[in-house]
Amino acid sequence: MDILGWSLVVILFVVGMAGAVWPILPGVFAIYGAFFVYGFFFSFKPFGWVFWTVQTLILIVLVIADHAVSAWGVHRFGGSKASIIGSTIGLILGPFVIPAFGLIIGPFAGAVIGELAVGSNIEKSFKVGIGSLVGLLTSVVVKIILQAAMIALFIIWLMAN
């Protein structure tokens, strides 16, 4: 039973970290879920209110930052609401439409199309598309750092208790 418990925890951590890059995966929720899996298989005893408060705050920050940072990139480069919506749609659909490069092309194309739809010229639209990539890459870096911190805190908490 221990092997199954630890296997599920590790699988959820891997899925969580992959979700930092692949937006269709549950990311931070998989990592958070791993804590519950550990508790059910082993014990919730090592985790007190401080652990849960810190982990929940990181989860909330990640969920908000994930959307805000991507939108910030588009907005910072002069994008409209249409380009933010287009970038988001491209981020979701891109990996399915173009499996190898859709994660990059999707948000870029979505932002460009969204900006063109509101009447911007091609130069501004491409600039906004670049902004969507800046936002995406910044978001990925933030997610990787904070999700790795969640896993590290989990391991430290277990070792300390």
Side-chain angles (χ1 to χ4, degrees), residues 8-153:
L8 289 173
V9 167
V10 169
I11 288 168
L12 286 169
F13 284 164
V14 169
V15 167
M17 291 308 288
V21 177
W22 192 264
I24 203 70
L25 295 175
V28 67
F29 295 106
I31 292 171
Y32 200 76
F35 308 147
F36 287 98
V37 168
Y38 179 88
F40 290 129
F41 273 89
F42 303 104
S43 173
F44 283 100
K45 191 173 182 170
F47 312 124
W49 69 272
V50 174
F51 174 84
W52 289 109
T53 301
V54 169
Q55 295 290 19
T56 302
L57 287 173
I58 294 172
L59 179 132
I60 291 167
V61 165
L62 269 167
V63 169
I64 292 169
D66 188 23
H67 299 291
V69 171
S70 294
W72 165 84
V74 173
H75 183 70
R76 179 88 170 124
F77 282 69
S80 63
K81 286 184 182 180
S83 56
I84 292 171
I85 292 168
S87 176
T88 303
I89 292 169
L91 180 63
I92 294 167
L93 296 180
F96 295 109
V97 176
I98 311 167
F101 301 102
L103 186 61
I104 303 293
I105 295 170
F108 177 83
V112 170
I113 292 167
E115 200 59 32
L116 287 171
V118 296
S120 294
N121 63 35
I122 194 78
E123 185 179 323
K124 180 179 181 188
S125 298
F126 272 95
K127 181 179 172 187
V128 170
I130 296 295
S132 75
L133 294 179
V134 169
L136 171 69
L137 295 175
T138 303
S139 176
V140 167
V141 169
V142 168
K143 286 189 286 187
I144 288 171
I145 291 168
L146 290 178
Q147 289 178 185
M150 289 176 79
I151 294 169
L153 285 171

